[in-house]
Amino acid sequence: ATPVVNIMSPFANNTSTNDNTPAIAFNFTDSDNLTGNAVLYFNSTAKANNESAQNNTPTNLTATALSDGIYNFWVNVSDNITNISSAINQVIIDTTIPENVSGVSAAQRDAGWINATWAIPADTSGINHTEVWVSDTFKSNVSAPANYYNPTSLIASPSYTFQLRAVDSAQNSGNWTTT
């Protein structure tokens, strides 16, 4: 029988990661063979292999270093009878930190509240959220595309400091913008 390949991790197609040597977990089933020759490909280039992958056993293959970019990847498993099967997914490799949050404004305010707004930078894997701190205290992860935070129940103070940084979908954190 032809081996059936199941990619176990990364779990979702189009996963973003900041790991440029991703480990791909898979297993295969084959009613006729106990072992198979597994080869991991990224955009048609072999990046790892295991010549004795075990039938119905989770196996990891770790790719050699990849540059930032979007990759189709698959695991081919061939059995001892030359039947070959593969499963295909896509991954985004993004090791670059996002640009800084910009245009921060806290112009709208009243007793007990301040409305902070900012511009979200562009990023290879997309901005996931903006981390918001007020006067060195974590307040919120504001999910993109939202670009505002309105802390309430503030006490009268001569000033508050807003610290913001973008975090992309690969979990790279940008530099702090403080205002």
Side-chain angles (χ1 to χ4, degrees):
T2 300
V4 176
V5 178
N6 174 40
I7 294 182
M8 300 162 54
S9 143
F11 299 108
N13 200 11
N14 293 318
T15 296
S16 294
T17 180
N18 58 16
D19 180 358
N20 71 342
T21 58
I24 306 301
F26 74 97
N27 71 2
F28 77 94
T29 56
D30 185 335
S31 61
D32 296 330
N33 293 281
L34 296 176
T35 62
N37 181 20
V39 182
L40 172 63
Y41 291 90
F42 278 82
N43 289 354
S44 300
T45 301
K47 292 292 188 173
N49 73 303
N50 180 334
E51 295 178 0
S52 58
Q54 299 295 307
N55 187 0
N56 205 23
T57 302
T59 303
N60 286 324
L61 291 174
T62 301
T64 56
L66 299 165
S67 301
D68 284 9
I70 299 172
Y71 293 88
N72 289 315
F73 72 91
W74 60 93
V75 176
N76 276 359
V77 175
S78 58
D79 61 20
N80 296 325
I81 314 169
T82 67
N83 293 315
I84 298 175
S85 178
S86 61
I88 300 174
N89 267 353
Q90 192 171 75
V91 66
I92 299 168
I93 306 293
D94 179 6
T95 60
T96 305
I97 67 169
E99 295 294 321
N100 293 350
V101 168
S102 62
V104 179
S105 172
Q108 293 181 322
R109 62 183 122 203
D110 202 349
W113 64 269
I114 300 172
N115 187 37
T117 60
W118 57 88
I120 298 171
D123 184 76
T124 302
S125 64
I127 299 300
N128 179 276
H129 66 274
T130 301
E131 192 174 328
V132 178
W133 292 62
V134 178
S135 297
D136 297 321
T137 301
F138 173 77
K139 293 296 182 180
S140 182
N141 286 327
V142 177
S143 296
N147 64 338
Y148 63 90
Y149 180 72
N150 186 356
T152 58
S153 302
L154 298 174
I155 58 171
S157 172
S159 67
Y160 285 94
T161 301
F162 282 82
Q163 299 144 300
L164 304 124
R165 68 177 173 181
V167 179
D168 67 19
S169 295
Q171 300 306 306
N172 297 305
S173 296
N175 295 315
W176 290 106
T177 298
T178 302
T179 188

